[in-house]
Amino acid sequence: MTNTPDNAPKSAILSPQDAEARVRASMATRRNRETRFRMWGIAAIALSMCFLVTLFGTIMSKGIPGFFQYYVTLDVTLDRERLDPAGDLSDQSLFDGDARGLVRDALFSTLQVSGRSNRKAAGKLISLGSDERLRDYVRTHPEQLDSEQSLKFALDDDVDSFLRGFISRDTPESDRRINDKAIGFIDQLQEAGLISYEISDYLFFGSASRNAEMAGIKGAFIGSILTLAVCLSLAFPIGIASALYLEEFAPKNRLTEIIEININNLAAVPSVVFGILGLAIFINIFGLPRSIPLIGGMVLALMTLPTIIISSRAAIRAVPPSIRDGALGIGASKMQTTFHHVLPLALPGMLTGTIIGMAQALGETAPLLMIGMVAFIVDIPGSITDPGTVLPVQIFMWADFAERMFIQKTSSAIMVLLAFLVVMNSFAVWLRKKLERRW
Amino acid sequence: MDVRTLIFLVGVIGLSFYFLGRYRIVTQSAQAVQRPHSLLHYYGLYPFFLAIIPSCFIIAIMQVADGFVLSILIEQYLPADIRGGDEFNKTITLSRIENIASGVIFGSPEDWLIAAANKWLIWSERAQLTTTILAISSSILLGSYAYMKVNPGFRSRNAVEQIILVMMMFCSGVAILTTIGIIFSVIFESLRFFALVSPMEFLMGLTWNPQFEGAERAGSGQEGLATYGSVPLFAGTFLISAIALTVAVPVGLMAAIYLSEYASPRIRATVKPLMEILAGIPTVVYGFFAALTVAPLVRGAGESIGLTVASESALAAGLVMGIMIIPFVSSLSDDVINAVPQSLRDAALGLGSTRSEMTKQVVLPAALPGIVASVLLAVSRAVGETMIVVMAAGLAANLSANPLDAVTTVTAQIVTILVGDQEFESAKTLSAFALALTLIVITLVLNLIALQIVKKYREQYD
């Protein structure tokens, strides 16, 4: 690159001294430009790292508190008559019993409240799920009936937000979600040392709930596992079989070419379109029920298939021809060569591609919204044909709820999801490093 | 017999044929003192495959077909007014019958409903019985046929390999079937939509307002309240994509240049995977981040300098989407920059240029087609992106080029229309399919152009 100044006549031949002088004179500017360009590059990388850190920082700063919640310890008298009127500990009998009343009585006696309005305010402090919690306790500890036990109950989500400082005492009473009476009771409980901040068991073992303090990811988590299981069991064999066929057996003709173009195009189709496919074909034409992990898995399998096929083909291509020639030379058939020699050698690469595809499927939301996995389902799915939801969809639903506590729970759910993605991806990287052979 | 036991039973039959076949070849070759043509297990696999594969197909087809056939058969039991009525009522009635048949009864159904439900039960039992008989008998018949063929002279390996080859061909056909499925599911519904709404209105109309469909159906006498002009949706989509690209292209490109021209191998080895983490984060997480962190931030910043910012501004969604596609731009550009031959770089450096001069005047022009292709792929990614816009962009179809306004996108509308309960046969539901069709066409064209450019470019240096 010769920096010819504009004012120099083009035809004139510069003496070496002049040329050197000019280059020297331009060096400072050129060096500056060089540094600036380099700085832009560093800035771009720093900016992306900064985005990454901000993203993780925001999620973690909200998500880590979401793993905890406030509980209150109450001394409950496990009155057999009131808890279990039929005396057989059956679900029906426990349901007919007055678990709710027992918890409330314990709370009232701790707070020493009397009067209708006071009781009403105090009753709102604890979670609506407290009676179910007491019933569960009695089911697992029937021998403790008719004794007094200290049990922990979750506090209502508004109380939780107040204790975390999201609701200020200074806002006028009418603008707060929690009134002065309730704040008085909370102070009373705190002075008695009955309120504790602990790892939330509802988050991990609870199912979908409209009450923020009781909402958990167990149902969505199991739904995700079922969906991924369907997806893997369809996409892995089909993907590997088609990759093997296309690489090893397919004649090089028009049809094969069409299949190849097709696979590349499918990899670029927006994911929401696969949801429309699922809705139109699996639900409307085949008449399968909505919201079930089976359809979710099928749709995700079709979506991840191109990823798996493309990476599997690359892995097959990396197996050197000498392996095939060796096997064929000692009398193996083409099929035997492929399945006994090529496939085992290409498998690590195929597995890596599959895991990456599965990680994609685990985080996918849009197509599952289309096939109705967004429904509010409290029951935990027991099989692939039970209605259920998945983690990312659960996150999407929680993100819509206005309660302050749901923001934290959503962030916690995101952290769980990200943790799984990190585990899957690092496993893929490890597998590639460990098993992949260089030829 | 329910499907699971049936599949299990077919599996058991298949396995027993495997062992029978193996046993037969062992005894026969001992008697005939003849070496079998193939390895022993091929003589077991042949009857095994013949016993299970056709049966599994029969079960799958019957599972899908019985709902169809039942609803056609049951139609004759419906009263004339429903049978002749519109599709919507018929579907509702059929699902009521199905519910009653499975024991879910709301209120007190009419007599003819109960009669139809009884018929439904009888027929679905019959259908199951037929499936069972067909599957089991085909399993046993084909298995025994294969079993009879087993003898030392039979070329079992070739037969088994033929079956495996056909199955593999079938598997690679799944990709084609998927494409056909996508095209059919979208095109049929789109055609029905275009029968209701003219394509010109859809492509040229400036207002998108499908919400008044209900009023029209209720027979309020007002017609044409719902309008399906898709221009605002595409304008919104491209506005958000443009914002995303103004973030992603400079950052991604500069990062790629730095990583391939300046960075030491160690920095490259750490930074590249870190940037790819951005691509691996689920989009729902980006959506949450956009809606809860970036949107209030943008709004606050805008209002502090006296601008009115919609709470669901295009800017917030676009910025976050830009972050998401940085790694696409950077890793694709990185590949093409690396593909520029080292000799070009050496020549430029040898003539005395600095690294930045070499990059700007030699490497980038050489890599330009590839970079353009990577940008096109990023555009198609941004256009098809769904969760970020569903969560962070609005639903109001404003025709606006102001990034601070709330706009909506094609994907966001598809999701809003199709999530939850849909009205059957309404133009509103069908419009989602027409939107999907245009979306597919746009992304496909972008991809084809990009791939073509990459292909041309590769040929240049290979």
Side-chain angles (χ1 to χ4, degrees):
Chain A
M1 178 65 216
T2 55
N3 258 11
T4 317
D6 292 336
N7 53 4
K10 292 253 155 75
S11 57
I13 298 168
L14 289 173
S15 68
Q17 288 80 11
D18 280 353
E20 199 192 328
R22 281 194 191 170
V23 170
R24 265 185 210 293
S26 70
M27 270 325 276
T29 353
R30 289 176 61 200
R31 287 231 171 87
N32 272 340
R33 273 198 208 130
E34 170 72 21
T35 327
R36 236 179 293 140
F37 191 70
R38 212 188 159 104
M39 280 301 143
W40 279 117
I42 293 175
I45 287 173
L47 194 64
S48 359
M49 292 302 111
C50 173
F51 286 143
L52 192 66
V53 170
T54 322
L55 188 67
F56 275 87
T58 333
I59 302 290
M60 299 242 269
S61 68
K62 284 182 186 135
I64 291 173
F67 285 113
F68 300 89
Q69 73 185 66
Y70 284 95
Y71 290 89
V72 61
T73 313
L74 296 175
D75 292 329
V76 187
T77 324
L78 303 178
D79 188 338
R80 188 186 290 270
E81 291 290 292
R82 283 178 69 187
L83 266 173
D84 186 18
D88 56 356
L89 286 172
S90 65
D91 287 352
Q92 185 59 42
S93 160
L94 286 175
F95 191 76
D96 291 338
D98 189 21
R100 189 175 177 72
L102 280 178
V103 180
R104 284 169 71 99
D105 287 349
L107 180 70
F108 297 153
S109 68
T110 320
L111 289 171
Q112 290 156 346
V113 289
S114 53
R116 243 179 89 85
S117 67
N118 282 340
R119 280 172 174 249
K120 203 175 156 197
K124 277 190 183 158
L125 292 181
I126 48 170
S127 158
L128 284 173
S130 301
D131 48 340
E132 188 54 44
R133 210 178 162 86
L134 183 61
R135 275 187 226 121
D136 279 343
Y137 185 78
V138 172
R139 262 185 219 119
T140 46
H141 303 88
E143 73 285 354
Q144 290 177 356
L145 275 174
D146 282 330
S147 64
E148 199 179 73
Q149 296 290 332
S150 302
L151 300 176
K152 286 201 171 91
F153 296 99
L155 285 167
D156 186 70
D157 63 324
D158 289 333
V159 180
D160 197 280
S161 299
F162 171 76
L163 286 168
R164 284 173 205 264
F166 294 129
I167 299 176
S168 161
R169 270 166 216 269
D170 304 330
T171 33
E173 190 178 0
S174 54
D175 294 348
R176 293 192 226 119
R177 290 182 63 115
I178 187 164
N179 59 23
D180 286 343
K181 253 184 211 156
I183 292 180
F185 291 139
I186 296 169
D187 290 342
Q188 218 176 316
L189 286 173
Q190 256 182 328
E191 271 160 35
L194 294 174
I195 291 184
S196 52
Y197 183 61
E198 289 176 25
I199 287 189
S200 162
D201 55 348
Y202 279 114
L203 178 69
F204 295 106
F205 303 112
S207 201
S209 168
R210 193 63 191 79
N211 293 86
E213 77 277 1
M214 287 155 60
I217 54 171
K218 189 179 175 192
F221 187 74
I222 291 174
S224 266
I225 290 178
L226 290 173
T227 311
L228 271 196
V230 174
C231 175
L232 181 66
S233 55
L234 286 174
F236 187 60
I238 296 182
I240 283 182
S242 33
L244 282 175
Y245 176 74
L246 290 174
E247 278 301 316
E248 301 285 323
F249 297 99
K252 294 274 167 275
N253 59 16
R254 234 185 133 66
L255 187 68
T256 320
E257 204 179 312
I258 290 176
I259 294 180
E260 275 174 38
I261 295 173
N262 212 320
I263 290 169
N264 285 334
N265 280 339
L266 271 186
V269 170
S271 62
V272 65
V273 171
F274 285 95
I276 290 185
L277 170 80
L279 179 68
I281 306 269
F282 296 143
I283 294 178
N284 286 352
I285 294 185
F286 288 180
L288 294 169
R290 283 166 160 269
S291 319
I292 59 174
L294 176 66
I295 301 190
M298 277 158 47
V299 169
L300 292 179
L302 293 182
M303 202 191 78
T304 48
L305 206 51
T307 318
I308 296 179
I309 295 179
I310 291 171
S311 64
S312 300
R313 291 187 67 177
I316 296 169
R317 244 176 274 143
V319 176
S322 58
I323 300 280
R324 297 183 184 83
D325 297 343
L328 291 172
I330 55 168
S333 71
K334 183 91 181 120
M335 196 65 78
Q336 286 166 333
T337 309
T338 307
F339 279 93
H340 297 174
H341 300 276
V342 178
L343 181 62
L345 291 174
L347 208 55
M350 292 173 159
L351 282 177
T352 314
T354 309
I355 295 171
I356 289 170
M358 288 300 117
Q360 224 178 62
L362 177 61
E364 199 52 70
T365 321
L368 300 179
L369 296 182
M370 305 269 95
I371 56 159
M373 290 192 92
V374 69
F376 184 81
I377 294 151
V378 179
D379 293 331
I380 290 166
S383 79
I384 53 171
T385 46
D386 287 344
T389 186
V390 295
L391 260 183
V393 177
Q394 183 80 75
I395 290 169
F396 169 68
M397 286 195 279
W398 279 357
D400 251 10
F401 292 152
E403 281 88 349
R404 181 75 218 197
M405 203 171 168
F406 267 121
I407 298 180
Q408 292 153 6
K409 288 229 165 167
T410 314
S411 308
S412 308
I414 288 177
M415 283 174 67
V416 173
L417 179 64
L418 289 179
F420 266 86
L421 290 176
V422 167
V423 169
M424 285 171 83
N425 282 310
S426 358
F427 183 62
V429 170
W430 176 82
L431 200 68
R432 184 159 50 194
K433 286 229 170 93
K434 184 95 185 163
L435 297 176
E436 212 161 53
R437 238 190 268 187
R438 302 225 178 276
W439 304 96
Chain B
M1 212 180 297
D2 78 326
V3 188
R4 270 174 234 188
T5 23
L6 193 55
I7 291 177
F8 177 75
L9 206 68
V10 169
V12 169
I13 295 175
L15 272 182
S16 25
F17 271 116
Y18 175 82
F19 290 112
L20 280 174
R22 253 191 93 126
Y23 180 71
R24 184 174 158 110
I25 194 66
V26 171
T27 46
Q28 280 203 353
S29 50
Q31 277 164 8
V33 204
Q34 185 190 352
R35 273 190 55 179
H37 166 267
S38 316
L39 292 172
L40 291 182
H41 66 267
Y42 283 111
Y43 289 96
L45 278 177
Y46 183 60
F48 172 75
F49 278 146
L50 278 195
I52 65 163
I53 295 172
S55 298
C56 286
F57 268 101
I58 290 176
I59 296 173
I61 290 171
M62 289 297 281
Q63 278 299 307
V64 170
D66 67 347
F68 256 162
V69 178
L70 274 179
S71 50
I72 292 169
L73 282 178
I74 219 78
E75 218 165 86
Q76 53 182 314
Y77 285 86
L78 304 183
D81 56 323
I82 293 182
R83 216 181 326 156
D86 63 351
E87 205 58 33
F88 174 68
N89 266 333
K90 228 174 357 196
T91 322
I92 290 271
T93 321
L94 279 177
S95 66
R96 276 182 74 189
I97 293 173
E98 217 179 321
N99 275 337
I100 293 170
S102 55
V104 187
I105 301 171
F106 299 106
S108 50
E110 296 88 331
D111 285 341
W112 58 267
L113 265 179
I114 294 183
N118 280 332
K119 277 284 167 209
W120 179 286
L121 273 181
I122 292 169
W123 272 326
S124 68
E125 246 164 56
R126 268 188 212 159
Q128 261 189 1
L129 196 67
T130 327
T131 317
T132 312
I133 292 172
L134 274 178
I136 303 271
S137 55
S138 97
S139 181
I140 291 175
L141 282 178
L142 286 171
S144 339
Y145 164 74
Y147 174 74
M148 300 311 284
K149 275 177 85 170
V150 168
N151 68 62
F154 175 56
R155 299 184 170 214
S156 181
R157 197 200 69 218
N158 306 31
V160 169
E161 288 184 350
Q162 199 57 43
I163 295 175
I164 295 179
L165 191 67
V166 171
M167 288 203 302
M168 286 167 82
M169 280 169 77
F170 185 76
C171 284
S172 50
V174 169
I176 293 212
L177 285 182
T178 312
T179 313
I180 294 175
I182 287 176
I183 293 172
F184 268 77
S185 59
V186 170
I187 284 194
F188 272 129
E189 311 283 315
S190 300
L191 285 180
R192 272 156 71 191
F193 172 73
F194 287 128
L196 296 172
V197 177
S198 79
M200 279 313 281
E201 185 196 332
F202 179 72
L203 290 176
M204 301 292 171
L206 297 181
T207 33
W208 176 264
N209 193 353
Q211 299 307 332
F212 288 102
E213 193 68 30
E216 211 178 350
R217 176 184 294 285
S220 61
Q222 295 166 294
E223 264 182 57
L225 278 172
T227 45
Y228 297 95
S230 65
V231 172
L233 306 189
F234 285 99
T237 305
F238 285 111
L239 176 63
I240 291 182
S241 307
I243 298 169
L245 288 176
T246 41
V247 175
V249 171
V251 175
L253 196 55
M254 279 314 293
I257 291 171
Y258 186 83
L259 284 181
S260 55
E261 301 297 331
Y262 288 97
S264 65
R266 253 189 63 200
I267 292 183
R268 197 180 146 83
T270 30
V271 171
K272 230 186 149 189
L274 278 177
M275 292 199 52
E276 261 147 36
I277 291 180
L278 281 175
I281 294 174
T283 52
V284 67
V285 177
Y286 281 111
F288 180 71
F289 180 63
L292 268 106
T293 311
V294 180
L297 215 67
V298 167
R299 195 185 155 99
E303 272 165 4
S304 68
I305 54 169
L307 294 169
T308 45
V309 184
S311 58
E312 296 176 316
S313 62
L315 189 59
L319 282 177
V320 174
M321 197 189 282
I323 299 177
M324 188 196 83
I325 52 180
I326 287 174
F328 287 95
V329 179
S330 76
S331 70
L332 287 169
S333 320
D334 193 44
D335 288 346
V336 287
I337 289 174
N338 276 331
V340 173
Q342 188 61 30
S343 58
L344 293 186
R345 292 193 182 85
D346 293 344
L349 290 175
L351 284 172
S353 67
T354 61
R355 265 191 182 271
S356 65
E357 283 162 355
M358 168 203 82
T359 309
K360 278 187 273 190
Q361 293 170 27
V362 176
V363 177
L364 286 188
L368 194 63
I371 290 171
V372 170
S374 80
V375 172
L376 284 183
L377 288 179
V379 175
S380 102
R381 190 89 199 175
V383 168
E385 171 47 44
T386 313
M387 289 321 291
I388 295 180
V389 289
V390 168
M391 293 171 84
L395 287 176
N398 297 323
L399 186 56
S400 162
N402 180 357
L404 302 179
D405 278 348
V407 295
T408 188
T409 69
V410 177
T411 46
Q413 286 298 323
I414 294 177
V415 168
T416 346
I417 292 172
L418 289 185
V419 166
D421 299 322
Q422 301 127 29
E423 301 166 62
F424 291 83
E425 297 297 304
S426 80
K428 184 182 169 187
T429 310
L430 293 176
S431 70
F433 290 91
L435 288 176
L437 178 65
T438 35
L439 184 70
I440 295 173
V441 171
I442 291 175
T443 49
L444 218 59
V445 168
L446 284 172
N447 274 293
L448 284 179
I449 296 175
L451 287 181
Q452 214 54 44
I453 294 176
V454 170
K455 215 171 155 190
K456 273 259 161 63
Y457 167 75
R458 275 224 188 99
E459 283 158 7
Q460 239 174 25
Y461 289 117
D462 270 350

